[in-house]
Coordinates of all heavy atoms in Angstrom, one line a residue:
R1 N -29.4 22.4 -37.5 CA -28.6 23.3 -38.4 C -29.5 24.5 -39.0 O -29.0 25.3 -39.7 CB -28.0 22.5 -39.6 CG -26.9 21.7 -39.1 CD -26.5 20.7 -40.2 NE -25.3 20.0 -39.9 CZ -25.2 19.0 -39.0 NH1 -26.2 18.7 -38.3 NH2 -24.1 18.3 -38.8
G2 N -30.7 24.5 -38.6 CA -31.7 25.5 -39.1 C -31.4 26.9 -38.6 O -31.9 27.9 -39.2
G3 N -30.8 27.0 -37.5 CA -30.5 28.4 -36.9 C -31.7 29.0 -36.1 O -31.6 30.1 -35.7
D4 N -32.7 28.3 -35.9 CA -33.9 28.8 -35.2 C -33.9 28.5 -33.7 O -34.7 29.1 -33.0 CB -35.2 28.2 -35.8 CG -35.4 28.6 -37.3 OD1 -34.9 29.7 -37.7 OD2 -36.0 27.8 -38.0
L5 N -33.0 27.6 -33.3 CA -33.0 27.2 -31.9 C -32.0 28.0 -31.1 O -31.0 28.5 -31.5 CB -32.6 25.7 -31.8 CG -33.4 24.7 -32.4 CD1 -32.8 23.3 -32.4 CD2 -34.8 24.6 -31.7
H6 N -32.4 28.3 -29.8 CA -31.5 28.9 -28.8 C -30.3 28.0 -28.7 O -30.5 26.7 -28.7 CB -32.2 29.1 -27.5 CG -31.4 29.9 -26.5 ND1 -30.5 29.3 -25.8 CD2 -31.5 31.2 -26.2 CE1 -29.9 30.2 -25.0 NE2 -30.5 31.4 -25.2
P7 N -29.1 28.5 -28.5 CA -28.0 27.6 -28.4 C -28.1 26.6 -27.3 O -27.6 25.4 -27.4 CB -26.8 28.6 -28.1 CG -27.2 29.9 -28.7 CD -28.8 29.9 -28.5
A8 N -28.7 26.9 -26.2 CA -28.9 25.9 -25.1 C -29.8 24.7 -25.6 O -29.5 23.6 -25.3 CB -29.5 26.5 -23.9
M9 N -30.9 25.1 -26.3 CA -31.8 24.0 -26.8 C -31.1 23.2 -27.9 O -31.2 22.0 -28.0 CB -33.1 24.7 -27.3 CG -34.1 23.6 -27.7 SD -34.6 22.7 -26.3 CE -36.1 21.9 -26.9
E10 N -30.3 23.9 -28.7 CA -29.6 23.2 -29.8 C -28.6 22.2 -29.2 O -28.6 21.1 -29.6 CB -28.8 24.3 -30.6 CG -28.1 23.6 -31.8 CD -27.4 24.7 -32.6 OE1 -28.0 25.8 -32.8 OE2 -26.2 24.4 -33.0
S11 N -27.9 22.6 -28.1 CA -27.0 21.7 -27.5 C -27.7 20.5 -26.9 O -27.3 19.4 -26.9 CB -26.2 22.5 -26.4 OG -25.4 21.6 -25.7
H12 N -28.8 20.8 -26.3 CA -29.6 19.8 -25.6 C -30.1 18.7 -26.7 O -30.0 17.5 -26.5 CB -30.8 20.4 -24.9 CG -31.7 19.4 -24.2 ND1 -31.5 19.0 -22.9 CD2 -32.8 18.7 -24.6 CE1 -32.4 18.1 -22.6 NE2 -33.2 17.9 -23.6
L13 N -30.7 19.3 -27.7 CA -31.2 18.3 -28.8 C -30.1 17.6 -29.5 O -30.3 16.5 -30.0 CB -32.0 19.1 -29.8 CG -33.3 19.6 -29.3 CD1 -34.1 20.4 -30.4 CD2 -34.2 18.5 -28.7
A14 N -28.9 18.1 -29.6 CA -27.8 17.4 -30.2 C -27.4 16.1 -29.5 O -27.0 15.2 -30.1 CB -26.5 18.3 -30.2
K15 N -27.8 16.1 -28.2 CA -27.5 14.9 -27.5 C -28.5 13.8 -27.8 O -28.3 12.6 -27.5 CB -27.6 15.1 -26.0 CG -26.5 16.1 -25.5 CD -26.7 16.5 -24.0 CE -25.5 17.3 -23.5 NZ -25.5 18.7 -24.0
Y16 N -29.6 14.1 -28.5 CA -30.5 13.1 -28.9 C -30.0 12.1 -30.0 O -30.6 11.1 -30.2 CB -31.8 13.7 -29.4 CG -32.7 14.2 -28.3 CD1 -32.1 15.0 -27.2 CD2 -34.1 14.0 -28.2 CE1 -32.9 15.4 -26.2 CE2 -34.8 14.5 -27.2 CZ -34.3 15.2 -26.2 OH -35.1 15.6 -25.2
R17 N -28.9 12.5 -30.6 CA -28.3 11.6 -31.6 C -27.9 10.3 -30.9 O -27.9 9.3 -31.5 CB -27.0 12.3 -32.2 CG -27.2 13.4 -33.0 CD -25.9 14.1 -33.4 NE -26.1 15.2 -34.3 CZ -25.5 16.4 -34.1 NH1 -24.6 16.6 -33.0 NH2 -25.7 17.4 -34.9
K18 N -27.5 10.4 -29.7 CA -27.1 9.2 -28.9 C -28.3 8.7 -28.1 O -28.4 7.5 -27.9 CB -25.9 9.5 -28.0 CG -25.5 8.3 -27.2 CD -24.3 8.6 -26.3 CE -24.0 7.3 -25.5 NZ -23.1 7.6 -24.5
L19 N -29.1 9.6 -27.6 CA -30.2 9.3 -26.6 C -31.2 8.3 -27.3 O -31.6 7.3 -26.6 CB -30.9 10.6 -26.1 CG -32.1 10.3 -25.2 CD1 -31.6 9.7 -23.9 CD2 -32.9 11.6 -25.0
V20 N -31.7 8.6 -28.4 CA -32.7 7.8 -29.0 C -32.3 6.4 -29.3 O -33.0 5.4 -28.9 CB -33.3 8.5 -30.3 CG1 -34.2 7.5 -31.1 CG2 -34.0 9.7 -30.0
P21 N -31.1 6.1 -29.9 CA -30.6 4.7 -30.0 C -30.5 4.1 -28.6 O -30.8 2.9 -28.5 CB -29.3 4.9 -30.7 CG -29.4 6.1 -31.5 CD -30.2 7.0 -30.6
A22 N -30.0 4.8 -27.6 CA -29.8 4.2 -26.3 C -31.1 3.8 -25.7 O -31.3 2.8 -25.1 CB -29.0 5.2 -25.4
L23 N -32.1 4.7 -25.9 CA -33.5 4.4 -25.4 C -34.1 3.2 -26.1 O -34.7 2.4 -25.4 CB -34.4 5.6 -25.5 CG -34.2 6.8 -24.6 CD1 -35.1 8.0 -25.0 CD2 -34.5 6.3 -23.1
A24 N -33.9 3.1 -27.4 CA -34.3 2.0 -28.1 C -33.7 0.7 -27.6 O -34.4 -0.4 -27.5 CB -34.1 2.2 -29.6
L25 N -32.5 0.7 -27.3 CA -31.8 -0.5 -26.7 C -32.4 -0.8 -25.4 O -32.6 -2.0 -25.1 CB -30.3 -0.3 -26.6 CG -29.5 -1.3 -26.0 CD1 -29.6 -2.7 -26.8 CD2 -28.0 -1.0 -25.9
V26 N -32.6 0.2 -24.5 CA -33.2 -0.1 -23.2 C -34.5 -0.7 -23.4 O -34.9 -1.6 -22.7 CB -33.2 1.2 -22.4 CG1 -34.0 1.0 -21.1 CG2 -31.8 1.7 -22.0
C27 N -35.3 -0.2 -24.3 CA -36.7 -0.7 -24.5 C -36.6 -2.2 -24.9 O -37.4 -3.0 -24.5 CB -37.5 0.1 -25.5 SG -37.9 1.8 -25.0
A28 N -35.7 -2.5 -25.9 CA -35.6 -3.8 -26.3 C -35.1 -4.8 -25.2 O -35.7 -5.9 -25.0 CB -34.6 -3.9 -27.5
L29 N -34.2 -4.3 -24.4 CA -33.7 -5.2 -23.3 C -34.8 -5.4 -22.3 O -34.9 -6.5 -21.7 CB -32.5 -4.5 -22.6 CG -31.2 -4.5 -23.5 CD1 -30.1 -3.7 -22.8 CD2 -30.7 -5.9 -23.7
A30 N -35.6 -4.3 -22.0 CA -36.7 -4.4 -21.0 C -37.7 -5.4 -21.5 O -38.4 -6.1 -20.7 CB -37.3 -3.1 -20.8
D31 N -37.9 -5.5 -22.8 CA -38.8 -6.5 -23.4 C -38.3 -7.9 -23.6 O -39.0 -8.8 -24.0 CB -39.4 -6.0 -24.7 CG -40.3 -4.8 -24.5 OD1 -40.8 -4.5 -23.4 OD2 -40.6 -4.1 -25.5
G32 N -37.0 -8.0 -23.3 CA -36.4 -9.3 -23.5 C -36.1 -9.7 -24.9 O -35.9 -10.9 -25.3
E33 N -36.0 -8.7 -25.7 CA -35.8 -8.9 -27.2 C -34.3 -9.1 -27.4 O -33.5 -8.5 -26.8 CB -36.3 -7.6 -28.0 CG -37.8 -7.4 -27.9 CD -38.6 -8.4 -28.5 OE1 -38.1 -9.0 -29.5 OE2 -39.7 -8.6 -28.0
P34 N -33.9 -9.9 -28.4 CA -32.5 -10.2 -28.7 C -31.8 -9.0 -29.4 O -30.6 -9.0 -29.5 CB -32.5 -11.4 -29.5 CG -33.9 -11.4 -30.1 CD -34.8 -10.8 -29.2
E35 N -32.7 -8.2 -30.1 CA -32.1 -7.1 -30.8 C -33.1 -5.9 -30.8 O -34.3 -6.1 -30.5 CB -31.8 -7.4 -32.2 CG -33.0 -7.9 -33.0 CD -32.6 -8.5 -34.4 OE1 -31.5 -9.0 -34.5 OE2 -33.4 -8.3 -35.3
V36 N -32.7 -4.7 -31.2 CA -33.5 -3.6 -31.2 C -34.4 -3.7 -32.5 O -33.9 -3.8 -33.6 CB -32.7 -2.3 -31.3 CG1 -33.7 -1.1 -31.5 CG2 -31.9 -2.1 -30.0
G37 N -35.7 -3.7 -32.3 CA -36.7 -3.8 -33.4 C -37.4 -2.5 -33.6 O -37.2 -1.5 -32.9
H38 N -38.4 -2.6 -34.5 CA -39.2 -1.5 -34.9 C -40.0 -0.9 -33.7 O -40.0 0.2 -33.4 CB -40.1 -1.8 -36.0 CG -40.9 -0.7 -36.5 ND1 -42.2 -0.5 -36.1 CD2 -40.7 0.3 -37.4 CE1 -42.7 0.6 -36.7 NE2 -41.8 1.0 -37.5
D39 N -40.6 -1.9 -32.9 CA -41.4 -1.4 -31.7 C -40.5 -0.7 -30.7 O -41.0 0.4 -30.2 CB -42.1 -2.6 -31.1 CG -43.2 -3.2 -32.0 OD1 -43.6 -2.6 -32.9 OD2 -43.5 -4.4 -31.7
S40 N -39.3 -1.1 -30.5 CA -38.4 -0.5 -29.5 C -38.1 0.9 -30.0 O -38.0 1.8 -29.3 CB -37.2 -1.4 -29.3 OG -37.5 -2.6 -28.8
L41 N -37.8 1.0 -31.3 CA -37.5 2.3 -31.9 C -38.6 3.3 -31.8 O -38.4 4.5 -31.4 CB -37.0 2.1 -33.3 CG -36.7 3.4 -34.1 CD1 -35.6 4.2 -33.4 CD2 -36.3 3.1 -35.5
I42 N -39.8 2.8 -32.0 CA -41.0 3.7 -32.0 C -41.2 4.2 -30.6 O -41.5 5.4 -30.3 CB -42.2 2.9 -32.5 CG1 -42.1 2.7 -34.0 CG2 -43.5 3.7 -32.2 CD1 -41.9 3.9 -34.9

């Protein structure tokens, strides 16, 4: 919302709202964890 990003980059980064939680889940599953923990999120 800062207005400093090119619209293409802004659109790209907006997808990270879903990407980061999805990556955290993949990391947790890859480690055999029953839930997403701090390490997976990091």
Side-chain angles (χ1 to χ4, degrees):
R1 288 171 175 67
D4 296 333
L5 297 172
H6 187 279
M9 187 64 169
E10 183 179 320
S11 175
H12 182 88
L13 290 179
K15 294 173 178 76
Y16 282 47
R17 293 174 178 133
K18 180 181 176 188
L19 177 67
V20 169
L23 285 173
L25 178 59
V26 169
C27 290
L29 291 172
D31 290 342
E33 299 291 331
E35 61 186 32
V36 176
H38 184 262
D39 292 341
S40 298
L41 178 58
I42 295 300

